[in-house]
């Protein structure tokens, strides 16, 4: 049904104008987000409050995951659009890391969602349950769960693939890890089932926080309403993750009718769901948080004042 990653790259490389435009647009979209997310991570590392509070630790982890995803994606795109083929055994670790980072995103979302549920629906137990140590344990568990699938695929590939296949030159895309089409389908199905399970948990948290907001008054009502909006943002993030999984199936249908339309749709999906959606969500979350936004404004102002002072001294 769908073209392989190598076939897709060959289609793109046929038209140098399309290739160059795609590469430039990718850089325009990726690097501003990389800069902003890196700035937010820098602010996170400088303030002790953020490093000791559970929700900020999880938020910092989501920023790190998105930054890694953007770096790896841009690296692979630049290699592909510049006709750079790598030995398959060199691509395998890159593909495994990208797959793990991709799986980390929805798992981190659910961890942040549950943390808000505990904070609003169990306020007296929140300080006991949500500790920085437990947040780090949750992050470790997220990475372990996210790494299971790529490690299983790696072991299957090494034990079943021929020596010629493992020694070939290729573009780095996860399809090289699962050459059988049945495993492509199983991977997509498993991912969708996981997202549905996560969505059920998020809807449960949303309903419970909604009920808490209706029953609360004063500052508690304000906090519950804010938590409700936060959960709504997490649900939106999850829908975007689901859309990213469904995109190849839509592209497969479009490809049967017109190749040029297929390439356009595929690139739009790449920018909208693989790049923009992953980058915008943590930025919106960060700008919505009063403490984090105040820290960002303070840091930027201090930087500007320092630069202005240095300029005056030099002149």
């Amino acid at each position: 049904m769908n073209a392989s990653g190598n076939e897709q790259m060959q289609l793109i490389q046929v038209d140098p104008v399309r290739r160059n435009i795609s590469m430039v647009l990718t850089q325009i979209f990726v690097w501003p987000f990389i800069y902003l997310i890196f700035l937010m991570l820098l602010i996170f590392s400088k303030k002790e409050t953020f490093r000791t509070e559970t929700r900020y630790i999880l938020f910092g982890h989501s920023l790190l995951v998105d930054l890694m995803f953007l770096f790896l994606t841009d690296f692979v795109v630049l290699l592909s659009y510049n006709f750079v083929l790598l030995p398959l055994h060199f691509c395998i670790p890159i593909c495994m890391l990208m797959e793990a980072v991709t799986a980390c995103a929805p798992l981190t979302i659910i961890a942040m969602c549950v943390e808000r549920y505990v904070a609003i629906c169990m306020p007296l137990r929140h300080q006991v349950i949500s500790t920085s140590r437990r947040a780090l344990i949750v992050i470790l568990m997220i990475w372990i769960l996210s790494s299971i699938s790529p490690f299983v695929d790696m072991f299957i590939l090494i034990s079943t693939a021929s020596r010629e296949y493992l020694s070939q030159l290729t573009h780095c895309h996860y399809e090289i890890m699962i050459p059988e089409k049945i495993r492509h389908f199983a991977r997509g199905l498993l991912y969708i089932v996981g997202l549905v399970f996560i969505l059920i948990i998020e809807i449960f948290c949303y309903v419970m926080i909604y009920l808490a907001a209706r029953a609360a008054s004063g500052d508690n009502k304000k906090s519950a309403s804010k938590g409700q909006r936060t959960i709504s943002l997490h649900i939106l993030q999850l829908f975007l993750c689901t859309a990213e999984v469904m995109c190849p199936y839509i592209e497969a249908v479009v490809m049967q009718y017109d190749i040029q339309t297929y390439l356009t749709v595929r690139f739009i999906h790449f920018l909208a769901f693989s790049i923009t959606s992953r980058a915008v969500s943590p930025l919106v979350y960060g700008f919505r948080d009063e403490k984090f936004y105040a820290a960002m404004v303070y840091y930027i102002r201090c930087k500007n004042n320092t630069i202005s002072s240095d300029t005056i001294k030099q002149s």
Side-chain angles (χ1 to χ4, degrees):
M1 285 181 62
N2 202 358
S4 70
N6 283 329
E7 289 170 344
Q8 290 169 0
M9 286 313 308
Q10 288 168 8
L11 289 171
I12 294 171
Q13 290 165 359
V14 168
D15 186 354
V17 175
R18 180 188 290 274
R19 185 183 68 247
N20 292 332
I21 291 174
S22 299
M23 187 165 59
V24 169
L25 283 175
T26 302
Q27 304 313 303
I28 291 172
F29 270 80
V30 167
W31 281 98
F33 288 133
I34 287 178
Y35 171 77
L36 286 172
I37 292 174
F38 180 78
L39 177 64
M40 295 176 82
L41 271 174
L42 190 65
I43 293 168
F44 169 81
S45 65
K46 286 183 175 294
K47 204 165 180 63
E48 188 178 355
T49 307
F50 298 149
R51 300 196 306 271
T52 55
E53 200 168 328
T54 305
R55 67 174 173 143
Y56 290 116
I57 294 173
L58 293 173
F59 175 58
H61 178 251
S62 72
L63 289 175
L64 179 63
V65 165
D66 287 318
L67 185 65
M68 291 173 66
F69 178 84
L70 291 174
F71 264 125
L72 290 169
T73 301
D74 193 49
F75 174 69
V76 170
V77 166
L78 288 175
L79 290 179
S80 300
Y81 284 170
N82 287 286
F83 309 100
V84 178
L85 297 174
L86 297 175
L88 189 139
H89 58 78
F90 182 79
C91 280
I92 287 175
I94 297 175
C95 293
M96 290 176 64
L97 183 57
M98 286 190 70
E99 182 73 0
V101 166
T102 301
C104 273
L107 293 177
T108 305
I109 289 171
I110 192 173
M112 296 170 74
C113 186
V114 171
E115 190 278 332
R116 286 293 83 199
Y117 163 73
V118 172
I120 294 167
C121 297
M122 306 177 187
L124 298 179
R125 299 179 60 191
H126 179 247
Q127 293 296 327
V128 178
I129 296 173
S130 298
T131 62
S132 57
R133 182 175 177 273
R134 287 183 177 176
L136 295 175
I137 292 173
V138 168
I139 290 172
L140 177 62
M141 292 300 297
I142 287 172
W143 278 99
I144 291 172
L145 291 173
S146 302
S147 302
I148 291 174
S149 178
F151 270 101
V152 169
D153 289 335
M154 181 197 68
F155 286 127
I156 294 174
L157 178 69
I158 291 173
S159 59
T160 59
S162 64
R163 183 173 296 179
E164 290 77 13
Y165 182 82
L166 294 174
S167 60
Q168 69 176 326
L169 296 176
T170 182
H171 294 291
C172 289
H173 52 88
Y174 200 76
E175 289 177 355
I176 63 174
M177 301 280 292
I178 44 174
E180 300 88 359
K181 290 197 174 183
I182 185 65
R183 290 175 60 200
H184 281 258
F185 178 77
R187 171 175 172 251
L189 183 62
L190 185 64
Y191 198 71
I192 291 171
V193 169
L195 290 176
V196 170
F197 176 72
I198 292 172
L199 179 61
I200 291 171
I201 296 176
E202 290 203 351
I203 291 174
F204 169 78
C205 293
Y206 181 88
V207 171
M208 296 304 294
I209 290 174
Y210 172 76
L211 295 175
R214 290 190 61 182
S217 59
D219 291 339
N220 291 334
K221 189 176 183 67
K222 182 180 178 182
S223 176
S225 299
K226 189 175 180 181
Q228 193 177 346
R229 291 192 295 271
T230 301
I231 300 296
S232 301
L233 177 60
H234 290 325
I235 292 174
L236 175 62
Q237 286 178 287
L238 195 64
F239 273 117
L240 292 173
C241 290
T242 307
E244 184 182 0
V245 176
M246 298 304 297
C247 283
Y249 301 98
I250 299 171
E251 294 162 10
V253 175
V254 175
M255 188 179 182
Q256 295 177 7
Y257 295 97
D258 184 66
I259 287 293
Q260 297 304 318
T261 305
Y262 159 77
L263 291 174
T264 303
V265 169
R266 182 172 178 267
F267 186 68
I268 290 172
H269 283 170
F270 170 70
L271 290 183
F273 299 114
S274 294
I275 300 297
T276 308
S277 65
R278 289 180 176 275
V280 167
S281 297
L283 292 178
V284 171
Y285 188 89
F287 282 117
R288 282 184 66 252
D289 187 271
E290 295 176 2
K291 287 185 183 178
F292 204 91
Y293 180 73
M296 285 185 66
V297 171
Y298 176 79
Y299 179 82
I300 293 171
R301 283 179 178 173
C302 287
K303 271 287 184 185
N304 290 337
N305 291 337
T306 303
I307 293 171
S308 301
S309 301
D310 291 341
T311 305
I312 293 171
K313 287 179 182 178
Q314 289 174 3
S315 60

